[in-house]
Amino acid sequence: MSKDTSVARHNIKLTGFLAITLPKISLAVGIVFLVLGLFVSRNNLHHFSYSYLTSFIFYLVCSLGALFFVIIQHLTRAGWSVLLRRVAEVLMSNLWVLAIMFIPVLFALPHLYHWTLAEAAQDHILKGKSGYLNIPFFVIRSVIFFAAWLLISRLFFKKSVDQDLSGDHSITLSLQKAATWAVAVFAITQTFAYVDWVMSLTPHWYSTVFGVYFFAVSAVASLSMLSLILMILRRFGFLKDLVNVEHFHDLGKFLYGFNIFWTYIAFSQYFLIWYSNIPEETAFFHQHFAGSWNTTAILLTIGHFVIPFITFMSRHARRNLKFHCGMVIWMLVMTYLDIFWVIMPNVLPSGFHLGFSDIASFLGLGGIFVWAFFTKLKSVNLIPVQDPRLHESINFHNT
Amino acid sequence: MSASIELDPSKRIPLVLGNHTFESVTEVISKPTETKAPKWWWIALCGAVSLLLLLVAMIGYLVFEGIGVWGLNNPVAWGFAIVNLVFWVGIGHAGTLISAILFLFRQKWRTSINRFAEAMTIFAVICALVFPAIHVGRIWVAYFMFPVPNQMVMWPNFRSPLLWDLFAFSTYFTVSLLFWYVGLVPDLATLRDRSKTKARKIAYGIFALGWRGANRHWQNYEKAYMILAALAAPLVLSVHSIVSFDFAVSQLPGWHTTIFPPYFVAGAVFSGFAMVVSLMVIAREMFGLKELVTMHHLECMNKVILVTGTMVGYAYGMEFFMAWYSGYEYESFAFINRAFGPYAWAYWIMISCNVISPQLFWFKKLRTSIPIMFVISIFVNIGMWFERFVITVTLSRDFLPSSWGYYSPTWVDICTLIGSFGLFFTLFLLFLRFLPMVSMAEVKGVMPEANPHHGEKH
C-alpha cells in the first residue's frame, strides 16, 4: 500500500511546455505543412497522394503497434510494463485522428490504386479480383477496420482511465478477458488493412506473408515511438524516478527481438520469391529494385537490420539511455524508409527521390498526430495509478 | 484456492502447490530414479522397444530392398518420409520455445515443464533425422551430404534446402542437447549426492561435472544458461523455417507461398505443446507430480495451443485467400483440390483437428479439464501429422493430368511411422526412469522460499 501513496507524490500529470505550447506549435506546423504541401503539389496531386499515403501508413503503424502492445500486456498479465502502458494507450487512442486522415485517401483512390480505373476492366487478372478489389467493398472494409480499432482502443483506454479513479481490480480482469478477442480481431483487421491499402498498390502482386510483414513493421515502430516518448517525458521532468533504466532495458530487448522478427519476415518473403523466380511474384521486386531503389533496399538491410543487430545487442547499449534514444530515432527513420520503399516506387519508377511533398506530408500529418497525442496525454495521468500490478512495475529489475 | 487468487490481479498464482519445502521437492522428483521401476513402466518399455524393433526391421528391409518398398510415385516423390520428418521436428519445438523464448520472456511457469519438453525435443529430433537419412536411398553414401573433399571434384549443392536442413538440424540438435545438459548438471549433482550405491555415485558423478553448488558455479551456470537461451531463441524460428523452405522454394502451387516460414514455426510450436500436454497429463498422474505441474501449468500450455492453433488457422486462411486473390489458376486449383479433391478427407481431418478443436480452449472449463485437454492434444497431434500429409500428397495432381494418380502408403510406410513412435517412447521412458523429469533447481527458484526475504516479518 505504501507504494501507491508514494506514486501520488510524483509528477504524474502533464503540465508546462509539453501540455500547452507543444500541441499548439505542432498543430500549427501540421496545418501549415499540409496546406503548403497541397499548394506546392497542386499540379501533381498524383505524386502527393503517394507521399501522403506513405506518411499516413507511418503514423498508422505507430498507433496500431501501440494497440497491439496494450492488448498483449493485458493478455499476458504483464507486470513490468504497467508504468509504460498509459503512454501506449494514448498512442493507440490516436487512431481516431488516423481515421480522419484516411478520408483524403478515399478521395485519392484513382491516383493511388489503378484497379479503381476504368481500364482495369480490360485487365484479365484484375477482372478476376474485382470481387474483392472494387471501390464500394474497399470503402466498407476500411470503415470496418477503423470501427474495430476504435472500438478496441476506446474500450482499453476508457477502462484503464476509469481504474485510475475507482481502483477497481475487476477492470483489470475484464480487460484481460477482452484482450483475447481483441488480439484476434486485431490480427485479421490489420492484415487486410495492409493488403488493401498497401499491397493493392501493385494489384497484380500477392504475398501471403504481407500482413505479418507489416505487423513486424508496426511492432518495431511502436516500440521505438514508445521509448522515444518516454525519454522526452523524462527529459521534461516527468516520471523520472518511476520509469527507469530497467524499463528501457526491457523495451530495448523487445524492440531488438521484433527487429529481428522484421528481418526474418522480410528475408523470407524476398528469399522465397527470389528463389522460385515466378514472374507473377518477382514483378514486385523488379519494380522495387529499379534504379536507386536497389540502393535503398541495401541501405534498409544494413540500416534496419545489420546496424541495430550489432550495436543494440549488448546489454550496455540498451541501458545507455543516450545511445538507446539515438537507436529508437534511427529505427523510426528506418521504418519510414521501409514504408517509403514499399510505396513510393509505384510513383517514382526510376529511383529514390525525397521531395517536398514527402516532407510536407510527414510534418503535416505528424504535427496533427503530435497535437492529438499530447492533448490527450494532458487530460489523463501519465501512469495507471491504481493498476493492481503497479508495484511490480515500480520495483521491476532485470536479473 | 485458485479461484480467489485468480480474481486478484495484484497477486501471482503460486507455481508449487501443497506444503512443499525444498527437501520435499527433491524427494518427489528424485523418487522415480531411485526406487524400483513400477510395473506399468516395464510394460510400456516392452511395448516401446517392440515398436523400435519394428522400425529397425523396416529400415533393414528398406536398405536391403530399396526405396521401391515405399508407396512413392512420380509427382509424390517424398511421401511419408518427409511427412514424418516434419512431424517429428515439429514435436520438438515446444522444448526449445519453453527453454529459450519463455525463459527470455520471464515466464516462470516454464520451470516445471522445461526439462520434460527439452527431453522431448532431443528425442523427437532423433526420430526426425531417421527419415531423411533413410530416404537418401543409398544410405552408405549419406556422408555425401557433408561437404567432404573427394576425388570426383564434386561439391554438395549449397542451393538445395535439403542441405540447409542438414546444417539446421545439426545446429538445433547440438544447441538443444547442450541446453538440456547444462540445465541437468545441478540436478545430476543432487542425484549423485543422494545415491546409496557406488555405481550410481560414479555414473551420476561423471555427468555432474564436479558440481558442488558453489557460488561461482551458479554464477557461471546462470551465464551459460542465458547465452544458450539467446542462441536457442533464433533456432526456434530457423529450423522450421528451413524445413518450410524445402517446400516453399519450389515453384509448385500449394508449396510456394511466402507465409510458409512463420506458419511452419507456429505449427511446430502448436504440435510440440500438444505432445507435451499429452505426455505430461499422464506423467504427473503416474509420478505424483500434481503439486509441481499444477492445473495452472496445464492451462498455460493449453492457452499456447489455442494461440498457435489459431495462428495456423490464420495461415490456412491466408493461403486460401491469396490462392484466389492471386488470380493464378494453378494456385487456386491446388487449394480447391486440397479441400474438395481426392484427399478432401485428409484436408478436413486437418482443419477440424488443428483449427476447430483447439477453439474449445476458449472456455476455461474445457481448458482446465484433464480428459478434454488430453483428447484435444491427441487431436492436434493427429491434425498436425495430416497437415504435412496434405501438403505433401496433394501433389498427386500436378501440372500434367496424365500423371495424376493417388498416393497410398504401403505397409512398410505405415510400420516405419509406427516404429518411429517406438524409438521416441523408448528414449522417453528411459529418460523418465534415469533422469529427474522436472528441473529441481529451477522449480526451487520459483518457490516462495527462494526469496531472500522469505519468512521475514515486515
Side-chain angles (χ1 to χ4, degrees):
Chain A
M1 227 25 235
S2 58
K3 281 293 171 203
D4 290 347
T5 46
S6 71
V7 167
R9 279 192 286 109
H10 292 281
N11 216 351
I12 52 164
K13 275 277 184 196
L14 198 66
T15 49
F17 175 77
L18 290 182
I20 300 157
T21 324
L22 182 68
K24 279 184 196 154
I25 296 175
S26 52
L27 183 63
V29 166
I31 292 170
V32 165
F33 272 96
L34 272 186
V35 172
L36 211 59
L38 208 57
F39 179 74
V40 171
S41 331
R42 67 190 179 281
N43 294 323
N44 196 357
L45 285 176
H46 184 64
H47 189 133
F48 185 75
S49 331
Y50 283 91
S51 305
Y52 184 91
L53 185 71
T54 305
S55 293
F56 167 76
I57 295 289
F58 175 79
Y59 293 108
L60 180 74
V61 294
C62 292
S63 276
L64 269 188
L67 178 71
F68 173 73
F69 182 84
V70 172
I71 296 174
I72 209 79
Q73 302 312 315
H74 285 292
L75 195 62
T76 57
R77 290 115 170 90
W80 69 276
S81 59
V82 173
L83 282 171
L84 324 173
R85 214 184 60 221
R86 180 57 46 81
V87 174
E89 283 165 356
V90 177
L91 193 55
M92 81 178 176
S93 300
N94 259 10
L95 279 164
W96 73 267
V97 188
L98 288 154
I100 294 169
M101 288 173 179
F102 184 71
I103 294 170
V105 175
L106 290 176
F107 286 99
L109 287 185
H111 285 300
L112 291 165
Y113 304 103
H114 72 76
W115 53 262
T116 57
L117 302 177
E119 61 247 36
Q122 266 80 61
D123 188 311
H124 171 65
I125 297 206
L126 292 187
K127 223 158 77 185
K129 299 186 188 198
S130 60
Y132 184 80
L133 292 182
N134 61 68
I135 295 178
F137 193 27
F138 180 91
V139 175
I140 292 170
R141 283 197 306 270
S142 302
V143 170
I144 293 174
F145 301 149
F146 274 112
W149 299 336
L150 290 178
L151 180 85
I152 297 171
S153 62
R154 282 185 66 94
L155 172 76
F156 278 84
F157 183 78
K158 196 175 166 302
K159 288 219 173 184
S160 172
V161 173
D162 285 350
Q163 197 179 44
D164 280 9
L165 294 175
S166 68
D168 187 355
H169 283 190
S170 67
I171 287 178
T172 302
L173 294 174
S174 75
L175 287 183
Q176 281 171 190
K177 271 222 164 88
T180 53
W181 58 260
V183 80
V185 172
F186 166 81
I188 292 168
T189 48
Q190 72 107 38
T191 301
F192 285 98
Y194 295 125
V195 167
D196 285 5
W197 303 341
V198 185
M199 203 171 93
S200 83
L201 289 168
T202 42
H204 283 232
W205 182 72
Y206 53 91
S207 168
T208 40
V209 84
F210 200 78
V212 185
Y213 178 69
F214 261 83
F215 164 69
V217 171
S218 65
V220 169
S222 61
L223 288 167
S224 306
M225 194 64 119
L226 185 57
S227 227
L228 182 64
I229 294 167
L230 286 163
M231 299 238 185
I232 293 171
L233 290 179
R234 275 171 54 102
R235 180 88 192 187
F236 281 86
F238 301 99
L239 305 178
K240 218 155 181 165
D241 314 313
L242 291 169
V243 178
N244 56 38
V245 69
E246 303 293 338
H247 302 100
F248 284 109
H249 184 186
D250 250 25
L251 274 178
K253 285 192 262 188
F254 225 174
L255 173 61
Y256 188 78
F258 268 115
N259 194 41
I260 294 178
F261 182 71
W262 173 88
T263 314
Y264 163 66
I265 297 296
F267 174 76
S268 302
Q269 175 171 283
Y270 166 65
F271 175 75
L272 289 176
I273 290 174
W274 170 80
Y275 198 110
S276 299
N277 225 349
I278 299 172
E280 279 90 338
E281 294 181 342
T282 49
F284 177 84
F285 287 102
H286 235 270
Q287 184 190 17
H288 287 69
F289 288 157
S292 53
W293 290 118
N294 195 22
T295 321
T296 316
I298 294 168
L299 273 178
L300 263 180
T301 316
I302 297 170
H304 206 312
F305 170 60
V306 179
I307 291 175
F309 179 74
I310 294 170
T311 61
F312 213 40
M313 187 187 285
S314 144
R315 170 188 174 90
H316 302 292
R318 289 195 276 259
R319 291 172 79 91
N320 178 333
L321 294 189
K322 277 209 178 100
F323 185 81
H324 190 124
C325 184
M327 182 52 73
V328 295
I329 293 171
W330 175 254
M331 288 318 301
L332 286 170
V333 173
M334 283 298 129
T335 300
Y336 180 79
L337 186 65
D338 184 21
I339 297 168
F340 195 84
W341 177 75
V342 172
I343 293 178
M344 293 309 277
N346 290 303
V347 69
L348 295 167
S350 55
F352 180 88
H353 174 76
L354 190 72
F356 180 73
S357 64
D358 302 305
I359 296 165
S361 307
F362 185 80
L363 293 177
L365 294 182
I368 295 169
F369 192 85
V370 171
W371 161 76
F373 177 82
F374 281 103
T375 311
K376 188 123 198 175
L377 191 63
K378 156 176 92 169
S379 69
V380 291
N381 292 320
L382 292 174
I383 53 170
V385 277
Q386 298 252 37
D387 190 285
R389 298 194 183 106
L390 186 63
H391 62 279
E392 283 188 38
S393 188
I394 290 173
N395 299 321
F396 170 65
H397 277 282
N398 277 287
T399 46
Chain B
M1 68 85 222
S2 62
S4 61
I5 282 190
E6 276 177 27
L7 291 178
D8 183 1
S10 65
K11 298 216 169 50
R12 294 293 178 178
I13 299 168
L15 295 170
V16 177
L17 299 178
N19 298 319
H20 271 294
T21 60
F22 281 0
E23 194 199 347
S24 65
V25 167
T26 310
E27 282 294 333
V28 171
I29 299 172
S30 310
K31 206 178 122 203
T33 71
E34 289 170 342
T35 49
K36 259 182 80 173
K39 209 182 227 155
W40 67 263
W41 186 84
W42 282 111
I43 297 170
L45 188 70
C46 282
V49 170
S50 359
L51 292 183
L52 172 61
L53 290 174
L54 179 67
L55 176 70
V56 173
M58 285 305 113
I59 293 173
Y61 180 56
L62 176 85
V63 173
F64 183 78
E65 197 62 34
I67 298 292
V69 298
W70 285 350
L72 305 175
N73 58 41
N74 200 345
V76 188
W78 278 354
F80 260 41
I82 193 99
V83 177
N84 299 342
L85 159 77
V86 182
F87 172 75
W88 279 117
V89 177
I91 296 294
H93 266 59
T96 331
L97 186 96
I98 293 168
S99 50
I101 307 259
L102 293 189
F103 176 72
L104 297 177
F105 276 119
R106 293 191 294 266
Q107 295 298 307
K108 288 182 175 163
W109 58 274
R110 65 182 273 287
T111 54
S112 299
I113 50 168
N114 66 343
R115 170 76 42 76
F116 200 82
E118 285 168 31
M120 279 177 39
T121 301
I122 292 165
F123 307 146
V125 173
I126 292 172
C127 291
L129 286 177
V130 168
F131 290 96
I134 59 178
H135 196 187
V136 294
R138 298 193 175 88
I139 198 167
W140 49 94
V141 290
Y143 67 89
F144 238 74
M145 284 192 279
F146 291 95
V148 281
N150 60 72
Q151 70 276 41
M152 289 176 284
V153 204
M154 275 168 63
W155 283 98
N157 183 0
F158 278 100
R159 275 179 296 179
S160 160
L162 297 171
L163 182 79
W164 311 335
D165 268 342
L166 184 74
F167 293 110
F169 286 150
S170 46
T171 316
Y172 183 55
F173 185 73
T174 314
V175 173
S176 304
L177 188 67
L178 272 176
F179 207 163
W180 187 57
Y181 180 58
V182 166
L184 266 169
V185 167
D187 284 4
L188 289 174
T190 307
L191 290 185
R192 173 200 63 197
D193 296 342
R194 288 167 58 89
S195 52
K196 297 204 171 80
T197 64
K198 188 107 191 181
R200 205 178 148 83
K201 196 175 194 93
I202 292 173
Y204 284 113
I206 288 171
F207 288 103
L209 301 178
W211 178 271
R212 296 185 312 278
N215 190 14
R216 210 154 59 104
H217 289 181
W218 278 112
Q219 233 170 4
N220 289 337
Y221 169 89
E222 297 277 350
K223 236 181 226 158
Y225 205 94
M226 183 61 113
I227 291 171
L228 282 171
L231 284 177
L235 284 177
V236 178
L237 296 173
S238 73
V239 178
H240 233 73
S241 297
I242 290 177
V243 170
S244 80
F245 287 172
D246 292 346
F247 302 96
V249 294
S250 70
Q251 291 158 332
L252 291 169
W255 280 22
H256 173 76
T257 176
T258 48
I259 206 171
F260 252 40
Y263 148 49
F264 264 48
V265 172
V269 172
F270 177 52
S271 66
F273 266 87
M275 191 62 116
V276 177
V277 169
S278 307
L279 297 182
M280 199 42 129
V281 161
I282 301 171
R284 72 196 272 274
E285 189 78 40
M286 292 300 191
F287 294 106
L289 297 174
K290 285 186 183 169
E291 288 172 335
L292 299 180
V293 184
T294 64
M295 190 50 87
H296 175 60
H297 291 92
L298 295 173
E299 195 188 346
C300 287
M301 286 194 270
N302 291 337
K303 284 178 183 169
V304 176
I305 291 177
L306 172 60
V307 170
T308 47
T310 311
M311 283 179 184
V312 168
Y314 168 91
Y316 295 161
M318 280 317 286
E319 277 187 331
F320 233 101
F321 172 72
M322 286 297 170
W324 172 80
Y325 179 88
S326 67
Y328 184 34
E329 56 187 312
Y330 300 103
E331 189 82 21
S332 317
F333 171 76
F335 281 90
I336 301 286
N337 182 43
R338 275 185 191 178
F340 305 108
Y343 290 100
W345 59 275
Y347 183 83
W348 293 106
I349 290 178
M350 163 185 114
I351 292 286
S352 37
C353 289
N354 288 350
V355 184
I356 300 170
S357 81
Q359 303 306 323
L360 295 175
F361 284 152
W362 280 94
F363 305 101
K364 191 178 175 74
K365 229 193 187 122
L366 300 180
R367 66 172 182 262
T368 52
S369 151
I370 298 275
I372 286 178
M373 74 173 83
F374 185 72
V375 171
I376 291 178
S377 69
I378 298 289
F379 275 167
V380 170
N381 280 312
I382 295 171
M384 284 309 289
W385 189 87
F386 270 100
E387 177 194 299
R388 285 70 175 242
F389 181 78
V390 166
I391 292 172
T392 308
V393 305
T394 47
L395 279 195
S396 58
R397 286 187 167 183
D398 68 347
F399 297 105
L400 199 63
S402 63
S403 65
W404 282 16
Y406 193 85
Y407 167 88
S408 332
T410 62
W411 64 274
V412 184
D413 279 313
I414 293 167
C415 290
T416 313
L417 169 63
I418 297 171
S420 67
F421 278 90
L423 174 58
F424 180 78
F425 281 109
T426 306
L427 293 168
F428 199 73
L429 286 164
L430 292 173
F431 156 74
L432 291 180
R433 176 79 181 92
F434 293 105
L435 290 171
M437 73 188 87
V438 176
S439 173
M440 292 185 248
E442 285 183 271
V443 165
K444 288 174 192 170
V446 298
M447 288 169 68
E449 287 84 344
N451 186 336
H453 301 292
H454 176 72
E456 281 176 17
K457 292 217 169 76
H458 299 281

